[in-house]
Amino acid sequence: MMRFHPTLPLLSLVSLSSCLASTKLLRLRQVLIIHRHGDRTPITPLIDEDYWKSTLPEPHVLEGIRRGTALLRDDKGYTPNTHKASGCGPFGQLTMMGILQMVSLGERLREELGHDDDYNDDVGVVSSESSNQKQQHQFVNNGRLFTKDQPLHPRRIKVMSTDFPRTIQSVQALLTGLFPDTVTEDDGPIEIDVRDTNSYLIPDPQPRQSPQQLVLESHLSNRPHLKQREEELKHLSHRISKELNQHLGVGAHGISFGIGEEKDNGGGDTTTEKVLSWAQMSEILVCLHSRDILPSNLSSEDVTAVSNHVAWRWFENLRHPILAKSAMWKFANNLLESMHYKIEEDCKPKNNDIAEGNNSEEEKCEPWLRIYSAHDSTLIGLLCLLQLERPTEWPEYGSYIKMELIREEDENNTVHDKSQYWVRFSLNGQVLRSTWCFDDNGEPMSMVPLQDLEDMIHLEHELVDGEDDDSLLKFSWKQGSLTKH
């Protein structure tokens, strides 16, 4: 039997009611948005290539959303993306529908975060509720991030993206909705940082951050309950693969991606490999079903069955803390560092140049808003690493996780240390409670202390076989590194 355990003492349970007095004011200090790209064509090549080309945006549309942005790359310049999920030709590309989705998301974020002219900066009561608590905590500025004096502006944001055309174009479309007025030359272009992002903004980079991760993925995927589930669904996978094989284009069987699903032969094209991976089946079926062009022998129930199994499989593997941290720890640590930079600025004496709107000084500061353009696997990986409530549905195109850094204040607006900071998570506007931090009534908390979140992310783990003293240590996660024993 496999089991894992933390190699440090368990985190102490904390209580929102006991740690956060109802008389305190709360101020939103930073927001981190991690979003999935918009609607795309299938990653797997299909035979009806002309149809999928017709779903792509015209060049002038791409030029329009690109205006006012600039890609930030390494000095060596562009390096071709070799990830099997990057797509080829018209496949794996953002569609016109996807662009419209992302523009709409930008408009939504502008509404959520921008200053509300109907409120003064220091009024507004927003609940930071626990399910068994009646109290409300006051959020200044009505819970908005930007204020009348410091409004949403390009110099107050930073953007990162994986180096996939569909994620870059998605965030360019989002920025179009976020800043409907064209960014001026005085503002300068909004930089989209794609440097090395393919290595850690997704849980299944190719190659992995550590070569041991593929070994761990295989180890976890071969656990008895997963093998039993896949055996039960074997007939379904063979039936659907047989039907889809008639619609596959050249190179379709060379596509290999996903946690625990990469082929040992590197995904090479073969004539004998006819059963598609679950990830491939799901992504093809979703694209066909959304356009009402499913093969006649397949049904919406088939789509649901495959999608549900893929979701279960991903969560079942990635919720294991060692794999979650091997896959997503670097990104999570990057998010923590951003919040710590903002806290350091809070604790410093106030800079009058920044307060008076000195652009050059403000651009040196940690941004108020960070946006990360990525993939559904990124969202799943973070949900598992952060140990948040599992959503009822797989994150659709344009879904986004919002992480809010919240500062606890007294009447003098005094900041002493990071013990005054909390973090709240949501997916598409729905607050996600933690599954490791509880209130006095044993209910998962909707806000967690930043220090406890940091401790949880840096917690170390071991995976062993067996229950007795002779148990064999298989894998360990220590000091930000995965080791196979």
Side-chain angles (χ1 to χ4, degrees):
M1 177 183 293
M2 291 185 294
R3 58 190 173 89
F4 68 88
H5 56 81
T7 58
L8 296 176
L10 290 175
L11 298 176
S12 59
L13 300 185
V14 296
S15 164
L16 183 64
S17 57
S18 60
C19 294
L20 184 59
S22 60
T23 57
K24 296 290 186 179
L25 294 175
L26 301 179
R27 184 184 298 272
L28 193 55
R29 289 299 294 128
Q30 187 180 46
V31 170
L32 310 176
I33 298 291
I34 306 98
H35 70 79
R36 185 186 182 187
H37 56 75
D39 177 77
R40 59 160 173 79
T41 56
I43 295 169
T44 304
L46 303 180
I47 55 176
D48 194 357
E49 188 169 320
D50 288 340
Y51 169 78
W52 295 106
K53 283 182 179 178
S54 71
T55 67
L56 304 182
E58 296 289 337
H60 73 273
V61 175
L62 295 178
E63 177 59 32
I65 62 172
R66 187 163 52 239
R67 192 175 299 120
T69 68
L71 298 184
L72 187 58
R73 298 190 185 276
D74 293 318
D75 294 337
K76 59 185 178 182
Y78 175 69
T79 302
N81 185 352
T82 58
H83 197 288
K84 297 294 185 180
S86 61
C88 180
F91 298 104
Q93 305 302 315
L94 190 70
T95 65
M96 188 62 210
M97 182 191 305
I99 285 182
L100 296 175
Q101 288 173 338
M102 299 312 296
V103 171
S104 178
L105 176 57
E107 294 170 344
R108 174 175 176 172
L109 292 176
R110 186 178 79 246
E111 176 66 24
E112 286 184 10
L113 304 174
H115 175 67
D116 190 337
D117 291 334
D118 292 335
Y119 291 91
N120 296 320
D121 286 352
D122 291 324
V123 300
V125 178
V126 180
S127 173
S128 61
E129 77 285 347
S130 174
S131 59
N132 292 318
Q133 292 173 328
K134 303 299 184 182
Q135 67 202 53
Q136 289 183 323
H137 301 286
Q138 289 187 331
F139 272 78
V140 299
N141 196 35
N142 200 42
R144 303 292 183 94
L145 177 63
F146 296 99
T147 68
K148 182 178 180 180
D149 294 331
Q150 293 176 304
L152 173 63
H153 190 278
R155 67 174 176 269
R156 297 191 175 100
I157 75 168
K158 294 289 184 185
V159 182
M160 297 183 72
S161 173
T162 56
D163 201 355
F164 288 60
R166 62 179 179 267
T167 51
I168 293 172
Q169 293 165 4
S170 287
V171 78
Q172 288 171 333
L174 182 153
L175 292 171
T176 300
L178 192 64
F179 299 105
D181 299 325
T182 303
V183 177
T184 66
E185 291 185 4
D186 291 339
D187 297 328
I190 300 175
E191 291 183 333
I192 301 173
D193 191 348
V194 297
R195 294 174 297 181
D196 194 38
T197 51
N198 286 357
S199 70
Y200 70 96
L201 289 192
I202 48 178
D204 59 334
Q206 297 176 346
R208 299 293 195 262
Q209 296 179 50
S210 163
Q212 304 301 331
Q213 183 180 325
L214 277 174
V215 182
L216 176 59
E217 289 176 29
S218 176
H219 183 79
L220 294 175
S221 295
N222 282 289
R223 288 173 291 175
H225 70 289
L226 274 86
K227 299 292 287 184
Q228 179 182 349
R229 180 80 168 263
E230 304 237 314
E231 184 63 29
E232 294 169 353
L233 295 174
K234 187 175 181 179
H235 175 73
L236 175 69
S237 68
H238 281 254
R239 178 172 63 82
I240 292 179
S241 291
K242 181 179 180 180
E243 184 64 38
L244 291 180
N245 271 322
Q246 305 172 47
H247 302 272
L248 300 182
V250 176
H253 285 294
I255 304 297
S256 178
F257 61 91
I259 291 292
E261 295 208 66
E262 293 195 14
K263 302 170 186 175
D264 293 336
N265 65 3
D269 223 353
T270 70
T271 56
T272 57
E273 180 64 75
K274 295 299 184 183
V275 178
L276 297 170
S277 70
W278 287 104
Q280 270 190 288
M281 277 190 285
S282 179
E283 70 101 3
I284 296 171
L285 290 174
V286 168
C287 287
L288 297 178
H289 186 245
S290 67
R291 293 166 174 81
D292 294 324
I293 53 175
L294 272 179
S296 58
N297 291 334
L298 298 179
S299 66
S300 58
E301 289 76 16
D302 291 327
V303 179
T304 300
V306 172
S307 298
N308 287 347
H309 178 62
V310 170
W312 177 83
R313 198 177 193 278
W314 274 76
F315 276 105
E316 194 67 17
N317 282 321
L318 272 173
R319 73 178 183 179
H320 192 288
I322 297 182
L323 180 55
K325 291 184 178 181
S326 177
M328 301 301 298
W329 182 85
K330 183 176 180 180
F331 185 22
N333 194 53
N334 179 288
L335 299 174
L336 284 177
E337 287 179 348
S338 297
M339 290 187 280
H340 278 294
Y341 292 146
K342 179 57 70 177
I343 293 171
E344 288 175 6
E345 292 175 2
D346 281 355
C347 295
K348 290 178 181 178
K350 195 169 185 179
N351 187 325
N352 289 331
D353 286 336
I354 296 175
E356 294 170 4
N358 186 311
N359 294 355
S360 61
E361 287 299 319
E362 187 169 16
E363 287 172 355
K364 300 175 185 177
C365 296
E366 173 63 22
W368 293 47
L369 172 63
R370 282 186 174 271
I371 299 172
Y372 302 84
S373 184
H375 309 261
D376 53 352
S377 60
T378 308
L379 274 61
I380 298 300
L382 282 177
L383 291 173
C384 292
L385 175 63
L386 297 171
Q387 298 184 39
L388 301 175
E389 292 176 314
R390 176 175 168 176
T392 56
E393 297 181 351
W394 188 266
E396 297 181 347
Y397 296 122
S399 292
Y400 67 102
I401 290 176
K402 179 162 66 173
M403 296 177 59
E404 299 171 289
L405 178 64
I406 297 168
R407 187 176 74 198
E408 180 184 349
E409 299 179 351
D410 56 25
E411 62 275 7
N412 297 318
N413 195 15
T414 304
V415 180
H416 300 289
D417 54 47
K418 64 182 179 182
S419 67
Q420 296 172 242
Y421 289 84
W422 299 71
V423 182
R424 181 168 58 181
F425 308 92
S426 61
L427 176 65
N428 298 331
Q430 178 181 353
V431 172
L432 296 177
R433 300 179 300 172
S434 75
T435 62
W436 56 273
C437 203
F438 304 88
D439 64 18
D440 288 338
N441 298 303
E443 291 290 327
M445 288 170 55
S446 58
M447 288 170 52
V448 299
L450 174 61
Q451 182 61 64
D452 283 30
L453 176 65
E454 183 176 7
D455 290 343
M456 185 274 289
I457 288 176
H458 293 309
L459 198 63
E460 299 179 345
H461 305 272
E462 293 178 347
L463 172 63
V464 299
D465 267 347
E467 298 285 351
D468 52 31
D469 293 338
D470 295 326
S471 298
L472 297 177
L473 180 62
K474 303 290 291 185
F475 296 90
S476 63
W477 175 264
K478 295 183 179 181
Q479 299 180 345
S481 179
L482 173 65
T483 301
K484 180 181 183 298
H485 299 276

